[in-house]
Amino acid sequence: TLDHPQANGPFVGLLANILLITIQELLPRMAEVAAPGAWLIASGILAERTDEALVSLVTHGFKPEQVRQEGEWIAILAK
């Protein structure tokens, strides 16, 4: 987890398969430990909250590159 003492990064990849509210809470820390050019896959997000998720990622320095939807859920690849 990101609060573990050894989770200092920098990490070239991050994966968050949890609800958007939790991803939003973790984004500041994810931005801190991400290496330059690192990728982030954020999933477990309800499709109806796609725009909110995209804005949150951009606000924390991640550039969304791809959104995939399966049923009511989405996954976002950002760098």
Side-chain angles (χ1 to χ4, degrees), residues 24-55:
Q24 290 169 321
E25 292 170 358
L26 293 172
L27 274 171
R29 181 71 176 132
M30 285 191 253
E32 287 177 5
V33 301
W39 54 264
L40 165 64
I41 296 175
S43 60
I45 301 167
L46 289 169
E48 65 193 34
R49 299 186 70 186
T50 300
D51 290 342
E52 180 184 355
L54 294 172
V55 168

Side-chain angles (χ1 to χ4, degrees), residues 16-24 42-57 67-76:
N17 184 27
I18 46 184
L19 294 176
L20 178 58
I21 186 73
T22 306
I23 292 171
Q24 290 169 321
S43 60
I45 301 167
L46 289 169
E48 65 193 34
R49 299 186 70 186
T50 300
D51 290 342
E52 180 184 355
L54 294 172
V55 168
S56 294
L57 289 167
V67 177
R68 297 213 177 188
Q69 183 171 346
E70 186 174 313
E72 63 185 28
W73 300 99
I74 63 161
I76 303 170

